[in-house]
Amino acid sequence: MSRNVTVGLVQMDCELMNKKANLEKMLSYVKEAAEKKVNLLCFPELCSTGYSPELIGEKYLDLAEEPDGETFQLLSAKAKEYGMYIAAPIVLKSEIPGVLYNGMIVISKDGSLMGTYNKTHLWAGERFWFRAGSEYPVFDMEFGKVGFMICYDGGFPEVSRILALKGAELILCPSAFPIRDKDMWDIYFATRSLENGCFVGGLNRVGLEGEDKSGEMFGNNKIYNPRGKLVAEAPVNEEALLVATFDLEDVARYRENEVVYLRDRRPETYELLSKLY
């Protein structure tokens, strides 16, 4: 038995605070993904607005949406039309006026809103504009269980471990990763996939925000298998849609027979962790 899934990971340049242009570009990627028979399409961090907290600041308040807002409405229609799951990281409003999340919406292949994820580990200037999330949902899709983390979350093994323990067989990490940290990018997701025995994909923005290199992002989307082996990779410094097909049944086989870190955990010895906080 196999549970093949074709995943599409977008690396795109986003115009700062130009939601209209970004959404139009996102729709073009949805069409390309449909032509390539993608089952699950994911966009990079804050894809509809651009990323930079320093440059956007309080304008996030004007750009933020309800989970079922403009971006959802556009992508929902396409998800239903093409029978495709879509994950789109955007600025999300909370139930509290003026409180925002660096979050994402997850849309089912029937066009319904499956739920949201809010980034739990905020990086640098994000802390001034966003509230950290506290939940780690796993989404049941027809081919298997999928979890999400966003950018800086990928550097915390607790995030992917929680998702794996909740059954995630595929974890995707949309990002806005700067070129100065590419050495970290090249090891993050191999590590997360090996230690959790699942497929892990990292996807990144492309382009420059601001006038210095601190805002330069380089793409280079990657997908790793449960042994931490690179199975697909996109180019550096250009827009692209990385498409890869793999069998999620491999996760069960690896976790049972080869990558047994989850099976051989000894949580009864981990009490020390709670004492360190």
Side-chain angles (χ1 to χ4, degrees), residues 84-99:
M84 180 192 306
Y85 295 89
I86 301 177
I90 61 175
V91 183
L92 285 178
K93 294 181 179 179
S94 73
E95 296 178 354
I96 304 172
V99 174

Side-chain angles (χ1 to χ4, degrees), residues 46 60-61 90-104 117-135 150 153:
L46 296 179
Y60 283 129
L61 292 165
I90 61 175
V91 183
L92 285 178
K93 294 181 179 179
S94 73
E95 296 178 354
I96 304 172
V99 174
L100 307 178
Y101 291 111
N102 179 345
M104 66 189 304
Y117 170 68
N118 298 317
K119 188 175 185 177
T120 51
H121 298 85
L122 300 178
W123 169 256
E126 294 176 28
R127 299 180 179 92
F128 297 110
W129 305 107
F130 300 117
R131 175 168 293 183
S134 58
E135 302 290 334
I150 298 177
D153 287 335

